[in-house]
Amino acid sequence: MPLPLSPHSQAIADFLAALDGFPVLQGPRVRLRGPREDDAAALFALFGDARVTRFWSRPPMQDIAEARELIEQIHAGRQARTLLNWAIADETDALIGTCTLFRFEAAHRRAEIGYALHSDHWGRGLAREATALALDWAVDTVGLHRIDAGIDPDNQASRALLHRHGFLTEGRQRESFFVGERVTDSELLGLLASDWRQRRAAAAAAVR
């Protein structure tokens, strides 16, 4: 029999269990929304791009059917409350990337974040904006205490993004995942809710 949850952890578990659909999170230039069937072509363009999947835990997609299957898996994961995989949509509501919270652990008040952005949109700060929306929601609405992230140690752009958000590199797992026959390490990073609030307050103060 599992141990009873603390009131805070139980509140997180109850919140996730009651979650109906994908919360829509609006930013200045992007918004996070649930993926739709008509996103398949854009999702295929995203994960069929070898530049995007260079540091991803799967090879590039070869057929749009893989994108359609992924959309089905995303909705199944949301219904099972195991992950929230948003589409990152631009001003025209077109899918340009994805942002995911997954591995929710209500007992320990934590989850993991992942993200991908089409290479046509790199260098504009859109991934930073999208992940900030997800972090705000995870901390302020869900009440999580900690967010984890794992990246390929060679992915300098992703490390820079996470460090700007206040994530700290906490370790390295050797040869922890394969992409085809290539095995790579994982750099492990963590962000505490208190760190995020401080970083957010400092950023707001800087623009006053």
Short mmCIF file of all heavy atoms in Angstrom, two decimals, residues 98-146:
data_model
loop_
_atom_site.label_atom_id
_atom_site.label_comp_id
_atom_site.label_asym_id
_atom_site.label_seq_id
_atom_site.Cartn_x
_atom_site.Cartn_y
_atom_site.Cartn_z
N THR A 98 7.36 22.32 -29.66
CA THR A 98 6.64 21.65 -28.58
C THR A 98 7.30 21.96 -27.25
O THR A 98 8.51 22.23 -27.18
CB THR A 98 6.61 20.12 -28.77
OG1 THR A 98 7.95 19.61 -28.75
CG2 THR A 98 5.92 19.73 -30.06
N CYS A 99 6.52 21.91 -26.19
CA CYS A 99 7.02 22.10 -24.83
C CYS A 99 6.28 21.12 -23.94
O CYS A 99 5.05 21.05 -23.99
CB CYS A 99 6.80 23.54 -24.37
SG CYS A 99 7.50 23.90 -22.74
N THR A 100 7.02 20.36 -23.16
CA THR A 100 6.43 19.25 -22.43
C THR A 100 6.80 19.28 -20.96
O THR A 100 7.96 19.50 -20.61
CB THR A 100 6.92 17.91 -23.02
OG1 THR A 100 6.77 17.92 -24.43
CG2 THR A 100 6.14 16.74 -22.44
N LEU A 101 5.83 19.02 -20.11
CA LEU A 101 6.05 18.67 -18.71
C LEU A 101 5.68 17.21 -18.56
O LEU A 101 4.58 16.80 -18.95
CB LEU A 101 5.21 19.54 -17.78
CG LEU A 101 5.64 21.00 -17.62
CD1 LEU A 101 4.61 21.77 -16.82
CD2 LEU A 101 7.01 21.11 -16.94
N PHE A 102 6.57 16.43 -18.00
CA PHE A 102 6.33 14.99 -17.91
C PHE A 102 7.01 14.43 -16.66
O PHE A 102 7.65 15.17 -15.91
CB PHE A 102 6.82 14.28 -19.18
CG PHE A 102 8.29 14.43 -19.46
CD1 PHE A 102 9.16 13.38 -19.27
CD2 PHE A 102 8.81 15.62 -19.95
CE1 PHE A 102 10.52 13.50 -19.54
CE2 PHE A 102 10.16 15.76 -20.24
CZ PHE A 102 11.02 14.70 -20.02
N ARG A 103 6.81 13.14 -16.44
CA ARG A 103 7.31 12.49 -15.21
C ARG A 103 6.87 13.24 -13.96
O ARG A 103 7.66 13.52 -13.06
CB ARG A 103 8.83 12.34 -15.26
CG ARG A 103 9.30 11.37 -16.33
CD ARG A 103 10.81 11.23 -16.37
NE ARG A 103 11.20 10.32 -17.43
CZ ARG A 103 12.43 10.23 -17.95
NH1 ARG A 103 13.39 11.02 -17.47
NH2 ARG A 103 12.70 9.40 -18.92
N PHE A 104 5.58 13.54 -13.92
CA PHE A 104 5.02 14.18 -12.73
C PHE A 104 5.14 13.23 -11.53
O PHE A 104 4.78 12.06 -11.62
CB PHE A 104 3.55 14.52 -12.94
CG PHE A 104 3.31 15.68 -13.85
CD1 PHE A 104 3.01 15.48 -15.19
CD2 PHE A 104 3.37 16.98 -13.37
CE1 PHE A 104 2.78 16.56 -16.04
CE2 PHE A 104 3.15 18.06 -14.20
CZ PHE A 104 2.84 17.86 -15.53
N GLU A 105 5.65 13.73 -10.43
CA GLU A 105 5.70 12.98 -9.17
C GLU A 105 5.08 13.85 -8.09
O GLU A 105 5.75 14.68 -7.48
CB GLU A 105 7.15 12.62 -8.81
CG GLU A 105 7.81 11.66 -9.78
CD GLU A 105 9.20 11.26 -9.30
OE1 GLU A 105 9.37 10.99 -8.08
OE2 GLU A 105 10.11 11.22 -10.13
N ALA A 106 3.80 13.63 -7.88
CA ALA A 106 3.09 14.47 -6.91
C ALA A 106 3.68 14.32 -5.52
O ALA A 106 3.79 15.30 -4.77
CB ALA A 106 1.61 14.10 -6.90
N ALA A 107 4.09 13.12 -5.14
CA ALA A 107 4.61 12.89 -3.80
C ALA A 107 5.85 13.75 -3.53
O ALA A 107 6.05 14.21 -2.40
CB ALA A 107 4.95 11.42 -3.60
N HIS A 108 6.64 13.97 -4.56
CA HIS A 108 7.87 14.74 -4.40
C HIS A 108 7.77 16.12 -5.05
O HIS A 108 8.75 16.85 -5.11
CB HIS A 108 9.05 13.96 -4.98
CG HIS A 108 9.20 12.60 -4.36
ND1 HIS A 108 9.54 12.43 -3.04
CD2 HIS A 108 9.01 11.36 -4.87
CE1 HIS A 108 9.58 11.13 -2.76
NE2 HIS A 108 9.26 10.46 -3.84
N ARG A 109 6.58 16.44 -5.55
CA ARG A 109 6.24 17.77 -6.07
C ARG A 109 7.21 18.20 -7.17
O ARG A 109 7.73 19.31 -7.18
CB ARG A 109 6.23 18.80 -4.94
CG ARG A 109 5.39 18.39 -3.75
CD ARG A 109 5.51 19.38 -2.60
NE ARG A 109 5.05 18.77 -1.36
CZ ARG A 109 5.14 19.34 -0.17
NH1 ARG A 109 5.69 20.55 -0.06
NH2 ARG A 109 4.71 18.73 0.91
N ARG A 110 7.43 17.30 -8.13
CA ARG A 110 8.37 17.63 -9.19
C ARG A 110 7.90 17.06 -10.51
O ARG A 110 7.02 16.20 -10.57
CB ARG A 110 9.77 17.11 -8.85
CG ARG A 110 9.91 15.61 -8.82
CD ARG A 110 11.26 15.21 -8.28
NE ARG A 110 11.42 13.76 -8.26
CZ ARG A 110 12.27 13.11 -7.48
NH1 ARG A 110 13.05 13.78 -6.65
NH2 ARG A 110 12.37 11.79 -7.53
N ALA A 111 8.51 17.56 -11.58
CA ALA A 111 8.27 17.08 -12.94
C ALA A 111 9.51 17.40 -13.75
O ALA A 111 10.46 18.02 -13.27
CB ALA A 111 7.03 17.73 -13.55
N GLU A 112 9.51 16.97 -15.01
CA GLU A 112 10.63 17.23 -15.92
C GLU A 112 10.12 18.03 -17.10
O GLU A 112 8.95 17.91 -17.50
CB GLU A 112 11.24 15.91 -16.39
CG GLU A 112 12.54 16.07 -17.16
CD GLU A 112 13.31 14.76 -17.33
OE1 GLU A 112 13.01 13.80 -16.57
OE2 GLU A 112 14.20 14.70 -18.19
N ILE A 113 10.98 18.87 -17.65
CA ILE A 113 10.60 19.70 -18.80
C ILE A 113 11.43 19.32 -20.01
O ILE A 113 12.61 18.94 -19.89
CB ILE A 113 10.77 21.21 -18.47
CG1 ILE A 113 10.08 22.08 -19.53
CG2 ILE A 113 12.24 21.59 -18.31
CD1 ILE A 113 9.95 23.53 -19.13
N GLY A 114 10.79 19.39 -21.18
CA GLY A 114 11.47 19.18 -22.46
C GLY A 114 10.88 20.13 -23.49
O GLY A 114 9.77 20.64 -23.31
N TYR A 115 11.59 20.35 -24.58
CA TYR A 115 11.13 21.33 -25.56
C TYR A 115 11.87 21.13 -26.87
O TYR A 115 12.97 20.55 -26.92
CB TYR A 115 11.39 22.77 -25.05
CG TYR A 115 12.75 22.92 -24.42
CD1 TYR A 115 13.88 23.21 -25.16
CD2 TYR A 115 12.90 22.72 -23.04
CE1 TYR A 115 15.13 23.30 -24.58
CE2 TYR A 115 14.14 22.81 -22.44
CZ TYR A 115 15.25 23.09 -23.22
OH TYR A 115 16.50 23.16 -22.64
N ALA A 116 11.26 21.59 -27.95
CA ALA A 116 11.88 21.59 -29.28
C ALA A 116 11.28 22.74 -30.06
O ALA A 116 10.08 23.03 -29.93
CB ALA A 116 11.61 20.26 -30.00
N LEU A 117 12.10 23.39 -30.87
CA LEU A 117 11.66 24.52 -31.69
C LEU A 117 12.19 24.33 -33.10
O LEU A 117 13.36 23.97 -33.28
CB LEU A 117 12.17 25.84 -31.10
CG LEU A 117 11.60 27.12 -31.71
CD1 LEU A 117 10.14 27.31 -31.29
CD2 LEU A 117 12.42 28.33 -31.27
N HIS A 118 11.33 24.59 -34.10
CA HIS A 118 11.76 24.46 -35.49
C HIS A 118 12.94 25.38 -35.74
O HIS A 118 12.97 26.53 -35.28
CB HIS A 118 10.61 24.79 -36.44
CG HIS A 118 10.87 24.36 -37.85
ND1 HIS A 118 11.69 25.06 -38.69
CD2 HIS A 118 10.44 23.27 -38.55
CE1 HIS A 118 11.76 24.44 -39.85
NE2 HIS A 118 11.00 23.35 -39.79
N SER A 119 13.91 24.90 -36.50
CA SER A 119 15.15 25.65 -36.70
C SER A 119 14.94 26.99 -37.40
O SER A 119 15.76 27.90 -37.24
CB SER A 119 16.16 24.80 -37.49
OG SER A 119 15.60 24.37 -38.72
N ASP A 120 13.84 27.14 -38.13
CA ASP A 120 13.55 28.44 -38.77
C ASP A 120 13.33 29.54 -37.74
O ASP A 120 13.42 30.73 -38.07
CB ASP A 120 12.31 28.34 -39.65
CG ASP A 120 12.56 27.58 -40.94
OD1 ASP A 120 13.74 27.28 -41.24
OD2 ASP A 120 11.58 27.27 -41.65
N HIS A 121 13.03 29.15 -36.49
CA HIS A 121 12.69 30.13 -35.45
C HIS A 121 13.76 30.24 -34.37
O HIS A 121 13.53 30.92 -33.36
CB HIS A 121 11.34 29.77 -34.84
CG HIS A 121 10.22 29.75 -35.82
ND1 HIS A 121 9.58 30.89 -36.23
CD2 HIS A 121 9.65 28.72 -36.51
CE1 HIS A 121 8.64 30.57 -37.12
NE2 HIS A 121 8.67 29.26 -37.30
N TRP A 122 14.89 29.59 -34.57
CA TRP A 122 15.97 29.69 -33.59
C TRP A 122 16.51 31.11 -33.51
O TRP A 122 16.47 31.88 -34.46
CB TRP A 122 17.10 28.75 -33.96
CG TRP A 122 16.78 27.29 -33.77
CD1 TRP A 122 15.66 26.75 -33.23
CD2 TRP A 122 17.62 26.19 -34.15
NE1 TRP A 122 15.72 25.39 -33.24
CE2 TRP A 122 16.91 25.00 -33.80
CE3 TRP A 122 18.87 26.08 -34.74
CZ2 TRP A 122 17.44 23.74 -34.03
CZ3 TRP A 122 19.40 24.82 -34.98
CH2 TRP A 122 18.69 23.66 -34.62
N GLY A 123 17.03 31.46 -32.34
CA GLY A 123 17.71 32.73 -32.16
C GLY A 123 16.81 33.92 -31.88
O GLY A 123 17.29 35.05 -31.83
N ARG A 124 15.51 33.68 -31.66
CA ARG A 124 14.57 34.77 -31.43
C ARG A 124 14.04 34.79 -29.99
O ARG A 124 13.20 35.62 -29.65
CB ARG A 124 13.40 34.66 -32.40
CG ARG A 124 13.79 34.72 -33.86
CD ARG A 124 12.62 34.38 -34.78
NE ARG A 124 11.45 35.20 -34.48
CZ ARG A 124 10.20 34.87 -34.86
NH1 ARG A 124 9.98 33.74 -35.50
NH2 ARG A 124 9.20 35.67 -34.57
N GLY A 125 14.50 33.87 -29.17
CA GLY A 125 14.03 33.82 -27.79
C GLY A 125 12.67 33.18 -27.60
O GLY A 125 12.09 33.28 -26.52
N LEU A 126 12.15 32.51 -28.63
CA LEU A 126 10.81 31.94 -28.54
C LEU A 126 10.77 30.70 -27.64
O LEU A 126 9.80 30.49 -26.91
CB LEU A 126 10.27 31.61 -29.93
CG LEU A 126 10.14 32.79 -30.89
CD1 LEU A 126 9.59 32.34 -32.24
CD2 LEU A 126 9.25 33.88 -30.29
N ALA A 127 11.82 29.89 -27.70
CA ALA A 127 11.86 28.73 -26.81
C ALA A 127 11.95 29.17 -25.36
O ALA A 127 11.34 28.57 -24.47
CB ALA A 127 13.04 27.83 -27.18
N ARG A 128 12.70 30.24 -25.10
CA ARG A 128 12.81 30.76 -23.74
C ARG A 128 11.45 31.25 -23.26
O ARG A 128 11.06 31.00 -22.11
CB ARG A 128 13.84 31.89 -23.69
CG ARG A 128 14.12 32.38 -22.29
CD ARG A 128 15.37 33.25 -22.23
NE ARG A 128 15.19 34.55 -22.89
CZ ARG A 128 15.75 34.89 -24.04
NH1 ARG A 128 16.51 34.04 -24.69
NH2 ARG A 128 15.55 36.08 -24.56
N GLU A 129 10.71 31.94 -24.14
CA GLU A 129 9.38 32.43 -23.76
C GLU A 129 8.43 31.28 -23.49
O GLU A 129 7.67 31.28 -22.51
CB GLU A 129 8.82 33.33 -24.86
CG GLU A 129 7.46 33.91 -24.55
CD GLU A 129 6.94 34.81 -25.65
OE1 GLU A 129 7.75 35.55 -26.25
OE2 GLU A 129 5.72 34.79 -25.90
N ALA A 130 8.46 30.26 -24.36
CA ALA A 130 7.55 29.12 -24.21
C ALA A 130 7.84 28.35 -22.93
O ALA A 130 6.92 28.00 -22.18
CB ALA A 130 7.67 28.20 -25.42
N THR A 131 9.11 28.09 -22.65
CA THR A 131 9.44 27.34 -21.43
C THR A 131 9.14 28.15 -20.17
O THR A 131 8.75 27.59 -19.15
CB THR A 131 10.92 26.91 -21.45
OG1 THR A 131 11.75 28.02 -21.79
CG2 THR A 131 11.14 25.79 -22.47
N ALA A 132 9.27 29.47 -20.25
CA ALA A 132 8.90 30.31 -19.10
C ALA A 132 7.41 30.20 -18.81
O ALA A 132 7.00 30.18 -17.64
CB ALA A 132 9.29 31.77 -19.36
N LEU A 133 6.59 30.13 -19.84
CA LEU A 133 5.15 29.95 -19.63
C LEU A 133 4.87 28.64 -18.90
O LEU A 133 4.06 28.58 -17.96
CB LEU A 133 4.42 29.96 -20.97
CG LEU A 133 4.33 31.28 -21.73
CD1 LEU A 133 3.75 31.05 -23.13
CD2 LEU A 133 3.48 32.29 -20.98
N ALA A 134 5.55 27.58 -19.33
CA ALA A 134 5.36 26.27 -18.69
C ALA A 134 5.85 26.28 -17.26
O ALA A 134 5.21 25.70 -16.37
CB ALA A 134 6.07 25.19 -19.50
N LEU A 135 6.97 26.93 -17.01
CA LEU A 135 7.50 26.99 -15.65
C LEU A 135 6.59 27.81 -14.73
O LEU A 135 6.36 27.43 -13.57
CB LEU A 135 8.91 27.58 -15.67
CG LEU A 135 9.98 26.69 -16.30
CD1 LEU A 135 11.28 27.46 -16.48
CD2 LEU A 135 10.22 25.44 -15.47
N ASP A 136 6.08 28.93 -15.22
CA ASP A 136 5.12 29.72 -14.43
C ASP A 136 3.94 28.86 -14.02
O ASP A 136 3.50 28.88 -12.86
CB ASP A 136 4.62 30.92 -15.24
CG ASP A 136 5.58 32.09 -15.22
OD1 ASP A 136 6.46 32.14 -14.34
OD2 ASP A 136 5.44 32.99 -16.09
N TRP A 137 3.40 28.11 -14.97
CA TRP A 137 2.22 27.28 -14.71
C TRP A 137 2.56 26.17 -13.71
O TRP A 137 1.81 25.91 -12.76
CB TRP A 137 1.71 26.68 -16.02
CG TRP A 137 0.45 25.88 -15.88
CD1 TRP A 137 -0.83 26.35 -15.78
CD2 TRP A 137 0.35 24.45 -15.81
NE1 TRP A 137 -1.72 25.31 -15.66
CE2 TRP A 137 -1.01 24.13 -15.67
CE3 TRP A 137 1.28 23.42 -15.86
CZ2 TRP A 137 -1.46 22.82 -15.60
CZ3 TRP A 137 0.84 22.10 -15.77
CH2 TRP A 137 -0.53 21.82 -15.64
N ALA A 138 3.73 25.54 -13.90
CA ALA A 138 4.12 24.43 -13.01
C ALA A 138 4.30 24.90 -11.58
O ALA A 138 3.91 24.21 -10.63
CB ALA A 138 5.41 23.80 -13.53
N VAL A 139 4.88 26.08 -11.41
CA VAL A 139 5.17 26.59 -10.06
C VAL A 139 3.95 27.25 -9.44
O VAL A 139 3.58 26.97 -8.30
CB VAL A 139 6.36 27.56 -10.11
CG1 VAL A 139 6.53 28.30 -8.79
CG2 VAL A 139 7.65 26.81 -10.47
N ASP A 140 3.32 28.17 -10.20
CA ASP A 140 2.25 28.99 -9.63
C ASP A 140 0.90 28.27 -9.57
O ASP A 140 0.14 28.46 -8.61
CB ASP A 140 2.08 30.28 -10.44
CG ASP A 140 3.33 31.15 -10.41
OD1 ASP A 140 4.13 31.00 -9.47
OD2 ASP A 140 3.50 31.96 -11.33
N THR A 141 0.60 27.47 -10.59
CA THR A 141 -0.72 26.84 -10.67
C THR A 141 -0.71 25.43 -10.10
O THR A 141 -1.58 25.07 -9.30
CB THR A 141 -1.22 26.82 -12.13
OG1 THR A 141 -1.25 28.16 -12.63
CG2 THR A 141 -2.61 26.22 -12.22
N VAL A 142 0.26 24.62 -10.50
CA VAL A 142 0.31 23.24 -10.02
C VAL A 142 0.88 23.18 -8.60
O VAL A 142 0.47 22.37 -7.79
CB VAL A 142 1.14 22.35 -10.97
CG1 VAL A 142 1.09 20.89 -10.52
CG2 VAL A 142 0.64 22.47 -12.41
N GLY A 143 1.85 24.05 -8.32
CA GLY A 143 2.46 24.05 -7.00
C GLY A 143 3.66 23.15 -6.87
O GLY A 143 4.00 22.70 -5.76
N LEU A 144 4.36 22.89 -8.00
CA LEU A 144 5.53 22.03 -7.95
C LEU A 144 6.68 22.72 -7.21
O LEU A 144 6.81 23.94 -7.24
CB LEU A 144 5.98 21.64 -9.36
CG LEU A 144 4.99 20.79 -10.17
CD1 LEU A 144 5.59 20.42 -11.51
CD2 LEU A 144 4.57 19.53 -9.41
N HIS A 145 7.51 21.93 -6.59
CA HIS A 145 8.68 22.42 -5.84
C HIS A 145 9.94 22.41 -6.68
O HIS A 145 10.86 23.22 -6.44
CB HIS A 145 8.89 21.54 -4.60
CG HIS A 145 10.12 21.87 -3.81
ND1 HIS A 145 10.22 22.98 -3.00
CD2 HIS A 145 11.33 21.24 -3.73
CE1 HIS A 145 11.41 23.02 -2.44
NE2 HIS A 145 12.11 21.98 -2.87
N ARG A 146 9.99 21.54 -7.68
CA ARG A 146 11.22 21.34 -8.44
C ARG A 146 10.89 20.91 -9.87
O ARG A 146 9.95 20.14 -10.09
CB ARG A 146 12.10 20.28 -7.76
CG ARG A 146 13.36 19.91 -8.52
CD ARG A 146 14.11 18.77 -7.83
NE ARG A 146 15.16 18.27 -8.70
CZ ARG A 146 16.43 18.71 -8.67
NH1 ARG A 146 16.79 19.62 -7.79
NH2 ARG A 146 17.33 18.22 -9.50
#
